[in-house]
C-alpha cells in the first residue's frame, strides 16, 4: 500500500487506501504509525486534495 502510485487514482481509491491503513492497525499494532512515518498518509491526503 505504501508504494502505490496514486497519481492517477480517484478519490474513492485513495479513501480505500486510507481505510485500509486504519483497518490494518486492528491486526498489527503500529501499522498506522508506520504509514504516517513513511509519508504514505501525507501522499494520499495530497492526492485526495487534488481530485476533490
Amino acid at each position: 500500500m505504501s508504494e502505490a502510485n496514486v497519481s492517477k487514482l480517484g478519490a474513492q481509491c485513495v479513501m480505500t487506501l486510507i481505510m485500509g491503513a486504519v483497518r490494518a492497525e486492528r491486526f498489527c499494532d503500529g501499522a498506522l504509525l508506520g504509514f504516517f512515518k513513511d509519508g504514505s498518509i501525507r501522499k494520499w491526503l495530497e492526492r485526495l486534495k487534488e481530485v476533490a
Side-chain angles (χ1 to χ4, degrees):
M1 288 174 41
S2 295
E3 298 177 16
N5 181 6
V6 296
S7 64
K8 295 183 181 180
L9 294 181
Q12 187 173 3
C13 288
V14 175
M15 285 300 299
T16 302
L17 286 170
I18 294 170
M19 280 303 303
V22 171
R23 296 187 95 195
E25 181 66 27
R26 180 174 181 212
F27 300 104
C28 179
D29 289 337
L32 189 57
L33 181 60
F35 286 115
F36 274 104
K37 283 185 176 181
D38 72 9
S40 295
I41 298 289
R42 172 177 281 234
K43 177 175 63 172
W44 299 338
L45 290 175
E46 287 173 354
R47 177 61 184 160
L48 196 58
K49 185 178 178 181
E50 289 174 8
V51 297

